Amino acid sequence: MTTTAFDRAYMLDMVKDHTMDVADFQKEANNGMNPDLRGFAGSTLSTLQEHLKLAKDDESSLGATSSR
């Protein structure tokens, strides 16, 4: 695999993983039964959302496309 192909594949995985993480943390922040976990999910969510945005930006700059 070329360096560019590797970078594109890596960023596709990062976008996919961060999208799932954001959804999971959002669900926990909204509906979690454990107050400590719900609080952690809520306070961490903005960081995960920023990481997802950065991953999407990198993915786009590499010319990779995912099913966003």
Side-chain angles (χ1 to χ4, degrees):
M1 182 179 285
T2 67
T3 302
T4 302
F6 175 84
D7 290 346
R8 286 179 181 152
Y10 179 81
M11 291 317 301
L12 286 170
D13 281 345
M14 288 299 98
V15 169
K16 180 180 131 194
D17 289 345
H18 280 80
T19 299
M20 291 182 344
D21 291 343
V22 166
D24 289 343
F25 273 67
Q26 185 69 60
K27 181 179 174 185
E28 184 64 32
N30 292 339
N31 304 313
M33 301 301 278
N34 181 309
D36 291 333
L37 291 176
R38 191 172 56 242
F40 175 77
S43 66
T44 307
L45 190 56
S46 64
T47 301
L48 289 172
Q49 290 168 328
E50 179 62 21
H51 289 181
L52 174 58
K53 180 192 174 305
L54 293 170
K56 285 180 177 181
D57 291 347
D58 286 349
E59 176 190 49
S60 178
S61 72
L62 290 169
T65 53
S66 65
S67 55
R68 300 185 213 186

